[in-house]
Each structure stands twice: as structure tokens, then as C-alpha cells.
Amino acid sequence: MGKKLLITGNEAVGYGAIYAGCRNYFGYPITPQNEVVEFFARELPKIGGNFVQTESELTSINMLYGAVATGVRAMTSSSSTGFSLMQECIAHMAYCSLPAVIVDVQRGGPGAGSTQTAQMDYAQVTKGGGNGDYYPLVLAPFSVQEIFELIQRAFYLADKYHHPVIVLSDAILGQMMENLELYSINFGPLPAKDWAATGQGERKYRNTVPNIWTFFNNYRDIIVNLGKKYQEITDNEVRFKTYEIEDAEMVIVAYGSSARISLETLRRLRPEGYKVGLIRPITLWPFPTKIIRETSHRVRNFLVVEDSLGQLVEDVEFAVEGRAGVHLLGSLARHLPTSSGMIFPKTVSEEVKNILCHK
Amino acid sequence: MKRKVDENVKREPFSGRIISSTIKENIDEKVEREIVYSRPECMHDLPTILCPGCQHGLIYRLIGEAIDELKIRGHCIGVGGVGCHAMGMGMLKIDAIMALHGRAPEVATGIKRSLHGKPIVFTVQGDGDLAAIGMGDMINAVNRGEKLTTIFCNNAGYGTTGGQMAPTTLLDQVTTTTPEGRQPQGFGYPIHVAELLATMTGMAFSARCALTSPAQFNQALKTVKTAFQKQIDGVGYSFVEILSACPPTFKKTPLESIKWIMSHMLEEYPLGIFKDVDKIP
Ligand SMILES: Cc1ncc(C[n+]2csc(CCOP(=O)(O)OP(=O)(O)O)c2C)c(N)n1
Ligand code: SF4
Ligand SMILES: [Mg+2]
């Protein structure tokens, strides 16, 4: 049994990274993820790590690029509008096949938006806000413990595929406190980083990032290899969790804090006899299309709960292929019309009942 | 040093001038010649892809010579910016990382820090890369007192994208985006990066050189070596601005381009050392 703490989701990001052996963090303050920056500022010097408070998110992500190109584990974090600034370099790291971990603690948008919670980054994170054909792996935790675990998994996946991995949190998850049990997860062996640029030293060949010879000669090869990698990830890394979908008449699809709210809805409605289930995507890319598609043969309706005007809902519609109704309960269902509004379990329950009784 | 040359024609990297060759005089007899000038050890024997008269190649030769003379090849990691100035990174036999446009100083920071200060890390950046899109990055890296070196290729314009104005473009200089010549109203003034950075505490060494004569080349080599030495000694940031000819942007022949640097650029951008300290408080 590991040590137990009562901490916030943002601090769990820090513990996850340290337990994954990450000793390099570069970050710029932005609400609601400042606790992540402050955690590393406090903890990394104690264990001989590197913390740099950068002058912008552009700098954070490009320092990360430099660091991971030397083969070390490193990460950065930001929130929505700051994350947008990182997109050029995330795309570039996908191009260079570099393992990097980036955390986005979502806040409201578009643009400067609000500092308070939202889930409006789904599209920019999963579809790639940067240029070119790239898909970062995206992991979506829904508790403090899961943040800690998925950060460790993120480092593993980044090293396994030499590819950027994004952990998508949000203001609610980042700010809430829960019990956390600390332990390190062993995911098994990883490929050697013999491509890292560390200074040529005694090595016979030089290492360049991106590989200079393919850079000049074989752009097509790079694209072909990226395509293969995306297929391999899609075949092997889809993760999701289902709750009571076996006998469900309708199924909620939600990730992150909305999944917490939806799970609470299930707990309230099941005793009342409502046959409602939940599919919670844990990887947003690759998306759990298959399980939703299979389920769509059995249920009549899906309800997507996400704190946005509807982004995740598009992937659900794609999976359902018109076999069942797909409904959205989004930001407009917040209990307050202000930026501090939230979608409450009560509202979700009402919507579920409404759909079950009328549609 | 006498070396036997018995095969191939060797050419000077950028001019294409023959520097050594096997000359068959009497059918099979090989002539022994002394090599007085050849590529630095740490440069690949590859053709450059730069325009005739481009001095960026010479800048890499300079870096190559400095690396050889300081015997630091195995410890070096180069970071290229985005622009013609980065092309030479392919020529150096060292580990290298290509940054995004303007971001080389923080990429270099990430490298240097993650390897606990061990490697010698330098960036090569152009005037568009460093003084336009990357000026904030540069200033902040110096302000953090990073132990890095930057070689700044000032060719008074954007070479790669076809000769547009850069922050370093001279007043009245005609470029594709200043067809009437650069006017201060609306287009601003030539920026003096070496002097600007010399005002900063984190800066250990800041200088400007030109490559308009063999004497200037030797001076520049000495300056680049000093800059690397500042990093090796862990003093602080070191910076060398080098005026570089870009005949297409200048709209001149290679020779006229060098003359224009002497007649116009040197007036705006005086050569010299603007800061040189052995210790930063
Ligand atoms: C973000 C971004 N914007 C624009 C470009 C296009 N671009 C490539 S090189 C360059 C200018 C380079 O000028 P300079 O740094 O002076 O290099 P030179 O070619 O003169 O050596 C520009 C604008 C780019 N690659 N990335
Ligand atoms: S355009 Fe200018 S900077 Fe680029 S290779 Fe040609 S001469 Fe050199
Ligand atoms: Mg230029």
C-alpha cells in the first residue's frame, strides 16, 4: 500500500510525473492549473530536477521539445488558451516522433473566455489544433487518483510510440481534493532512445532531430510511418469504462468531470428503476468508437453530457451511424448563466427521464 | 603537414574552387601536393544548397573551425532556427536539433538543462528568426542567464522566403515588402541586436563581426571561439552577430554584395565587442 494523501487533481499531476521518473518541467502560470506549476517549482529542486518558469506557453512547449529530444522524460502543462499557443510545437513533435507529455486543465473559451471550468478543448486537443496530419494520444481522467495513474501511463505511452500524449483535465478535476494513494506503475519494457541528441561523444553516427536525412529526402516515408503509427495506436490503445450498459435502454457518454456528474446521475436513477448506463471514454484519441457502435445496436438513445456547445457529440454521432438518437446536454444546461455555472446531476437526471419517457 | 592526395577533386565548400586534385602528368605519375586549406574536420564533405555568394556557408565553416580548434565536437549540440541560416546544421558532424521559427533559445535551454549543463549548446539564427518572431525568446533566454551561445546571421532580410524586410533591414533598403525602400514611418528602424543584448545582466559576451576580408574572417573566428569559451567557463550567455551577404535579397552580385556590406551595413552596424565579462554577479 502506497502513502495516502488528500490533495487536488492539479497536484496529482505533479505526483504522477515524479512517480513516472519525470525530472523536467517547464511551465507558465494560467488559471486553473497554477498548482501544477507551483508543485514542480517546489518539488523538483528537492530531487535534482529542472524547473523553469517560462515567459510563455510557446517557450514552455519548445523547451519541452529541446528536453525530450535529449531522451529525458519531461512535461509541461497549461490551460485552454495557453494550450492553443502550444499547438505548432505539438504538431512538430509528432512530426519528429518525440515522446512528450502535455497536460491541459480546461477552462472556458473561446479565446480568453473564462478562468472557470468548461470542456471546450475537446476538438482542439483530439483533432489537433496544429497543422498537418497528426493525432496526439489523449487521456481523460475523471478523479484525482486517475489523474495520477494516467499521467504515469502518459509517459509510458509517449515513450512506447515516440509521440506526444495529452492528458485532458479540467478546472473541476484540477481544483477538487480527493484521496490519493501513491504508487508507481510498471508498464513493462520500452524501446531504447538511441536517437536522442545528447552530444555525439563516442557514438559513431550523429543524431539529429528531426532526422536530417529523411528531412531532406523522404517526406513521404515520414507520412507513411506516421500513418502506420496512428493505426497501431488505434488498434491497441483504446481505453474506456462502461457502467451498467448491459440492460440499459439509454446510455450516457461523458468524459472528465462530466463523467463524474453522469455517474452520480446513474447512482440516483438506477434505484428508481431507470435503465440508464454510462460509457466513459478514457482515451479520447483513439476514440472508443467500437463500443459505442456495438451498443447502438441495442439502445434507442444516447445522451452526451459535456460542458461545451457540442464537440464530443460529433464523435458519438459518427459511432452511432444514425441507429439511435444522440442527444446533447451541454453548457447551456449549467445551473447558472454565468461562467461559474455547472451541469448538475439533477439536470442530467431530468434529461435522462425526459428522453426515456418521451423519445 | 604533407598529405598524399591521390584521388578525387576536392573543392572549396562555397566557391567551388578546386583546393586539391589528383593531377596525372605523365600517364600514371601522381603529383604530391600540400593541402593548405580544406574543410574543417567536423564538416561533412557535402555540397551546400545555398546561393552563390551566400555567406551563411562561411559562417558554418567558422563554427566548424572553432569547434575543431577547441576540440569540443563530441560535446556540442547545435540548434538551427528556421531559414537559410539553418541549412548548414546539416553540414556539421555534431548532434543537432532543428527548432521552430524563432524558438531556438528555449529549445537550447531545454537541451542544456535536461542534460544538467553538460553539453555545449549553441543556436544559429537569422535576423528574421531571432530579431522578429523570436526576439522575446532571445531576450528571455539571456535574462535567465542561460549558459548558451548564439550565432546570429544578419543578412538584412529574409533570404528563405524571397527577400522580404527583416527588423535589421537598412533604411531606404529596397526589399520585396519595402518596394520603395524601408521608411521609418510604418516600417521602423534597423535593430542593433548585439548592442541591445549587451545591456543585459545575463549576457557574458556580445560582439559583431563581418566576413568582408580574410582578416575579418580571422577576427570572427577568434570571436566565435571566445563566445564558446564563455559558455565552457559557465559565465553566461554569449552572442556573436555576423553580417552575412545574401545576394538575392540585396539584389546584387556576390562581389557587389560584399562591397555593399562594407559601404552600407558597416555604417549602420559597427563591428566590435559590446560586452565581455568573466563573471556575472
Ligand atoms: C511560424 C512560421 N512563420 C513563418 C515561416 C516562414 N519562414 C521561413 S524562413 C523565414 C524567414 C527567415 O529569415 P531569416 O531568419 O532572416 O533567415 P535567412 O533565410 O535570411 O537566413 C520565414 C518567415 C515559418 N517557417 N514559420
Ligand atoms: S537566399 Fe540569401 S540567405 Fe538564402 S541561401 Fe540564398 S543567399 Fe543565402
Ligand atoms: Mg536573414
Side-chain angles (χ1 to χ4, degrees):
Chain A
M1 276 277 267
K3 194 174 144 193
K4 278 198 172 163
L5 301 170
L6 178 66
I7 59 162
T8 65
N10 280 343
E11 289 169 300
V13 167
Y15 280 109
I18 285 180
Y19 272 70
C22 166
R23 295 292 178 271
N24 300 277
Y25 174 88
F26 314 103
Y28 186 78
I30 180 170
T31 308
Q33 63 87 57
N34 296 317
E35 298 77 12
V36 183
V37 187
E38 288 159 2
F39 175 91
F40 285 111
R42 192 172 69 233
E43 300 298 332
L44 276 179
K46 292 184 199 162
I47 51 174
N50 294 302
F51 165 81
V52 183
Q53 179 173 335
T54 64
E55 74 270 16
S56 74
E57 290 82 356
L58 287 177
T59 308
S60 306
I61 195 77
N62 284 282
M63 270 187 201
L64 179 63
Y65 169 50
V68 297
T70 71
V72 301
R73 282 190 165 178
M75 68 166 282
T76 185
S77 64
S78 188
S79 175
S80 307
T81 176
F83 183 86
S84 304
L85 282 178
M86 298 184 176
Q87 295 277 28
E88 181 197 28
C89 194
I90 296 173
H92 184 65
M93 288 193 286
Y95 167 65
C96 296
S97 282
L98 287 179
V101 173
I102 304 121
V103 176
D104 179 7
V105 185
Q106 295 174 90
R107 60 186 240 176
S114 103
T115 58
Q116 297 179 41
T117 199
Q119 294 183 303
M120 300 181 187
D121 287 1
Y122 181 88
Q124 80 155 338
V125 167
T126 59
K127 312 294 182 217
N131 64 312
D133 283 334
Y134 79 103
Y135 301 91
L137 271 121
V138 183
L139 307 179
F142 89 143
S143 68
V144 171
Q145 186 72 40
E146 200 180 26
I147 289 174
F148 174 75
E149 291 167 5
L150 286 186
I151 292 282
Q152 293 189 55
R153 178 171 289 277
F155 279 102
Y156 164 73
L157 290 172
D159 282 348
K160 180 173 175 190
Y161 293 102
H162 296 149
H163 199 61
V165 180
I166 294 162
V167 178
L168 189 62
S169 176
D170 60 45
I172 294 178
L173 296 172
Q175 299 292 327
M176 73 186 190
M177 288 181 111
E178 284 187 314
N179 261 332
L180 171 66
E181 190 188 336
L182 295 172
Y183 63 98
S184 52
I185 310 171
N186 183 1
F187 294 97
L190 284 165
K193 294 182 176 177
D194 51 7
W195 43 264
T198 51
Q200 190 172 333
E202 301 301 308
R203 205 190 315 119
K204 285 209 180 62
Y205 49 90
R206 63 184 293 217
N207 280 345
T208 61
V209 179
N211 185 311
I212 236 154
W213 311 122
T214 46
F215 174 75
F216 281 121
N217 299 327
N218 287 315
Y219 175 67
R220 190 174 183 281
D221 287 356
I222 297 175
I223 301 304
V224 168
N225 288 337
L226 277 178
K228 280 191 197 140
K229 186 195 285 187
Y230 298 151
Q231 192 56 51
E232 201 188 330
I233 295 173
T234 311
D235 291 345
N236 297 310
E237 303 301 341
V238 173
R239 296 178 85 78
F240 58 86
K241 204 152 179 204
T242 61
Y243 305 82
E244 310 199 46
I245 61 166
E246 295 71 22
D247 65 338
E249 286 167 19
M250 73 165 285
V251 166
I252 299 175
V253 183
Y255 74 95
S257 59
S258 289
R260 280 297 273 272
I261 291 158
S262 303
L263 193 57
E264 175 61 23
T265 308
L266 247 63
R267 287 199 188 110
R268 291 181 189 188
L269 289 182
R270 275 282 171 172
E272 292 179 34
Y274 292 100
K275 291 197 167 165
V276 55
L278 169 67
I279 297 177
R280 177 169 76 87
I282 296 175
T283 52
L284 299 182
W285 193 88
F287 190 72
T289 306
K290 198 160 149 247
I291 179 70
I292 296 175
R293 191 159 288 167
E294 281 166 12
T295 312
S296 73
H297 289 275
R298 293 187 273 117
V299 305
R300 289 185 53 194
N301 286 294
F302 288 86
L303 174 65
V304 176
V305 182
E306 59 170 325
D307 196 353
S308 83
L309 289 175
Q311 300 185 9
L312 163 69
V313 69
E314 289 182 5
D315 282 344
V316 176
E317 275 169 348
F318 173 78
V320 169
E321 294 174 319
R323 267 182 297 275
V326 177
H327 310 272
L328 168 69
L329 193 72
S331 302
L332 301 184
R334 291 175 175 199
H335 80 298
L336 290 174
T338 65
S339 60
S340 44
M342 279 171 58
I343 305 169
F344 281 153
K346 185 168 149 276
T347 322
V348 183
S349 300
E350 280 162 12
E351 188 67 11
V352 169
K353 285 180 192 168
N354 185 25
I355 292 169
L356 278 175
C357 300
H358 302 290
K359 288 179 177 143
Chain B
M1 176 186 59
K2 278 219 168 193
R3 219 198 294 168
K4 222 179 180 186
V5 182
D6 51 11
E7 57 183 15
N8 289 342
V9 173
K10 286 206 169 176
R11 287 172 186 278
E12 214 252 30
F14 308 109
S15 67
R17 197 156 46 87
I18 294 175
I19 50 174
S20 70
S21 66
T22 307
I23 296 177
K24 296 193 174 181
E25 285 194 336
N26 294 327
I27 311 170
D28 274 318
E29 198 187 320
K30 284 165 189 167
V31 174
E32 235 183 46
R33 295 201 168 189
E34 190 186 354
I35 295 177
V36 291
Y37 192 70
S38 66
R39 282 195 185 198
E41 279 280 300
C42 78
M43 278 190 110
H44 284 294
D45 203 3
L46 292 169
T48 75
I49 52 173
L50 306 168
C51 307
C54 179
Q55 285 192 307
H56 286 354
L58 215 46
I59 293 177
Y60 278 91
R61 174 180 181 101
L62 196 68
I63 296 169
E65 284 192 24
I67 290 174
D68 283 351
E69 287 182 25
L70 293 168
K71 299 188 172 50
I72 53 176
R73 191 178 75 81
H75 307 285
C76 276
I77 303 178
V79 183
V82 173
C84 301
H85 58 267
M87 299 299 175
M89 221 33 112
M91 307 280 295
L92 294 174
K93 293 181 199 160
I94 59 168
D95 280 6
I97 296 171
M98 307 312 282
L100 287 165
H101 200 18
R103 312 287 163 242
E106 59 260 37
V107 174
T109 303
I111 298 165
K112 183 95 180 184
R113 298 252 189 151
S114 67
L115 296 173
H116 301 284
K118 274 179 251 156
I120 297 154
V121 186
F122 66 94
T123 75
V124 180
Q125 298 177 256
D127 41 5
D129 191 79
L130 187 150
I133 195 167
M135 188 59 122
D137 313 69
M138 183 70 228
I139 288 181
N140 278 286
V142 176
N143 197 42
R144 284 192 306 269
E146 299 296 344
K147 316 296 188 270
L148 300 169
T149 303
T150 289
I151 309 298
F152 174 48
C153 309
N154 177 357
N155 57 7
Y158 288 18
T160 318
T161 42
Q164 296 84 3
M165 181 189 74
T168 46
T169 294
L170 303 190
L171 291 181
D172 292 327
Q173 185 183 335
V174 173
T175 69
T176 58
T177 47
T178 55
E180 305 297 320
R182 182 182 190 178
Q183 301 305 317
Q185 303 309 326
F187 292 89
Y189 306 88
I191 192 160
H192 299 85
V193 184
E195 289 90 330
L196 177 74
L197 296 179
T199 63
M200 300 186 65
T201 310
M203 191 54 111
F205 182 82
S206 181
R208 182 181 294 113
C209 306
L211 304 171
T212 46
S213 68
Q216 293 292 6
F217 180 92
N218 290 339
Q219 179 60 38
L221 175 58
K222 213 174 120 201
T223 310
V224 169
K225 274 165 63 184
T226 311
F228 277 131
Q229 196 59 50
K230 291 285 170 190
Q231 180 179 168
I232 295 165
D233 296 343
V235 185
Y237 214 106
S238 53
F239 181 89
V240 184
E241 175 172 340
I242 302 178
L243 305 183
S244 180
C246 173
T249 300
F250 298 177
K251 302 180 192 0
K252 291 181 171 46
T253 65
L255 189 61
E256 282 171 3
S257 297
I258 305 278
K259 286 187 178 153
W260 187 78
I261 290 182
M262 297 206 282
S263 60
H264 289 73
M265 278 187 86
L266 284 179
E267 195 182 326
E268 181 70 39
Y269 298 115
L271 307 184
I273 294 171
F274 305 104
K275 185 161 183 191
D276 182 0
V277 295
D278 291 330
K279 202 169 178 284
I280 292 174

